[in-house]
Amino acid sequence: MTSSEAGISTAYAVSPDSGQHWTAEGAWPVADGIHRIPLPLPMDGLKAINVYVIETGQGLTLVDGGWAITEGRSTLQAGLRGIGFGFDDIRRFLVTHVHRDHYTLAAVLGREFGADVSLGIGDRPTLDLMHQVHVGEIAENPTIAVLRSAGALGVAEAWESMYDGQLPDLTQWAYPDTWLEGDQPIQVGTRTLDAVHTPGHTAGHFVFAERAAGLLFAGDHVLPTITPSIGFEPVPVPQPLGDFMASLTKVRGLPDLQILPAHGPMAPSSHTRVDELLAFHEKRLSLCLDALSKGRVTAYDVAGVLPWTRHEHDFSTLDIFNSAMASMETKAHLELLVARGQATREESDGVVVFSVAERPGSPGLR
């Protein structure tokens, strides 16, 4: 939802592997035996997702799978044909996280062609929720409760109306064959990928680092031109932003690697980008704290005075979907301020109100 202060807009970014806009269709070689295939996301502002194809003597391993829509499937098939392969050559999907543009096509193709689908176990609650909703075990979408807790009552009502009666297609949300739990090496042909658990964008997010080749399959954790959404997860966790920033620090501890992102062009330095992302969120935290100085407010109130996207749009110009993301992301920032002791929270009738924490010696503290 928010954007970083990187100099190149995602809308105009050229990827060095293709020499074209990063969304240009094709199978673009990023390293020996590795290709990037952008798949379209026609109903998404991001426009495309990069799926990475790793060749081995036993077949293909794909990092992420794409969204299970007709356009995505046909583009992936064409890209594979362009380098002499087909769906039946896929042996494994390493999915960075459970979001639909990463997971659902992997789930469908894995079932059809017998490929192993791996996913971080931290994302299991999201899949459990999908299955519970499908059989009517969940009375209310948990996102509604999060929006209400953020004080975004009108947004919550609109969200409920938008998704009322919609059931998930469980053919796209089947459980994976393999759960990834904890950091571990994964052998992919002659390559060793370090699977690194990086919660934040989702609780089960993983990145895959090939140190020998200097590559980071970064998913949505380290994006070169935008920041991933934080706090927008079907099953909420207590400190999504704290988790994200800790995961960034963890990745900063790896060697400096070339970024192979899920969205946007390849980028040369994971260290540089991680530093930018950490600085960006520290700035957002400072802006949130300044907003709290006005008095006791909700996350929705604070979101309303913050700028959004790299173009610094006013909150009032956002549609319902992006208003919801902004409200939940702001709540994640405020919850981290509480955890740091810089703010306090009170909850009444399901709505959380935040205020600046009083410091020893400040007026009003006895």
Side-chain angles (χ1 to χ4, degrees):
M1 178 59 220
T2 54
S3 75
S4 75
E5 295 179 353
I8 301 174
S9 167
T10 310
Y12 301 104
V14 170
S15 193
D17 53 345
S18 65
Q20 301 183 49
H21 191 270
W22 71 274
T23 63
E25 292 186 8
W28 307 108
V30 300
D32 185 32
I34 302 177
H35 289 81
R36 179 180 65 89
I37 302 180
L39 306 184
L41 301 176
M43 293 184 291
D44 194 291
L46 290 172
K47 302 304 181 186
I49 175 172
N50 296 317
V51 170
Y52 295 93
V53 180
I54 304 173
E55 300 177 32
T56 79
Q58 295 75 44
L60 305 178
T61 292
L62 272 59
V63 178
D64 284 330
W67 188 350
I69 53 177
T70 301
E71 300 94 326
R73 181 176 178 131
S74 61
T75 303
L76 179 58
Q77 186 173 44
L80 291 175
R81 284 176 178 167
I83 53 176
F85 296 103
F87 288 149
D88 55 357
D89 292 304
I90 302 173
R91 299 291 176 265
R92 187 174 194 179
F93 288 94
L94 297 173
V95 182
T96 58
H97 62 291
V98 76
H99 285 165
R100 62 186 180 181
D101 53 328
H102 297 254
Y103 185 73
T104 56
L105 187 54
V108 170
L109 294 177
R111 183 186 68 254
E112 288 185 28
F113 295 94
D116 183 277
V117 177
S118 297
L119 182 70
I121 197 166
D123 283 339
R124 179 163 192 159
T126 294
L127 289 180
D128 288 342
L129 178 68
M130 297 289 184
H131 288 252
Q132 291 163 358
V133 168
H134 191 83
V135 297
E137 293 180 0
I138 301 295
E140 181 181 68
N141 184 336
T143 300
I144 304 300
V146 176
L147 288 170
R148 288 176 179 156
S149 74
L153 304 183
V155 177
E157 290 179 5
W159 188 276
E160 191 168 23
S161 297
M162 267 197 320
Y163 292 101
D164 184 41
Q166 295 188 28
L167 295 177
D169 179 354
L170 295 189
T171 65
Q172 300 181 9
W173 297 105
Y175 287 100
D177 303 287
T178 302
W179 291 110
L180 300 176
E181 187 169 6
D183 298 355
Q184 58 186 282
I186 296 177
Q187 205 65 30
V188 179
T190 59
R191 304 173 185 271
T192 299
L193 302 187
D194 290 328
V196 182
H197 183 211
T198 51
H201 181 55
T202 74
H205 196 291
F206 270 80
V207 300
F208 303 97
E210 189 187 358
R211 298 177 190 237
L215 301 174
L216 180 69
F217 298 91
D220 281 3
H221 183 61
V222 183
L223 298 173
T225 58
I226 56 174
T227 68
S229 61
I230 302 296
F232 180 58
E233 198 166 3
V235 181
V237 298
Q239 286 293 338
L241 181 59
D243 292 342
F244 179 62
M245 294 178 76
S247 295
L248 286 173
T249 302
K250 184 178 184 180
V251 169
R252 185 62 168 80
L254 298 173
D256 197 11
L257 304 170
Q258 186 175 28
I259 304 169
L260 304 183
H263 308 286
M266 295 169 55
S269 172
S270 57
H271 285 182
T272 297
R273 187 57 183 148
V274 164
D275 290 345
E276 291 173 348
L277 289 167
L278 288 169
F280 170 77
H281 281 289
E282 289 295 348
K283 181 178 178 180
R284 297 292 286 188
L285 286 163
S286 179
L287 290 173
C288 288
L289 193 59
D290 287 344
L292 292 186
S293 67
K294 309 284 191 299
R296 299 170 70 254
V297 291
T298 66
Y300 181 75
D301 295 328
V302 175
V305 300
L306 296 179
W308 295 98
T309 81
R310 66 180 290 112
H311 303 293
E312 299 195 336
H313 290 306
D314 188 87
F315 181 82
S316 64
T317 66
L318 303 180
D319 60 23
I320 291 299
F321 184 82
N322 286 300
S323 295
M325 292 180 70
S327 300
M328 290 186 281
E329 183 162 310
T330 302
K331 185 172 185 292
H333 282 77
L334 295 171
E335 295 287 6
L336 183 54
L337 289 174
V338 172
R340 289 180 172 184
Q342 295 175 276
T344 61
R345 72 193 302 279
E346 298 176 16
E347 187 168 346
S348 177
D349 296 327
V351 178
V352 179
V353 176
F354 297 88
S355 57
V356 175
E358 294 180 334
R359 296 183 299 276
S362 63
L365 187 66
R366 297 180 180 178

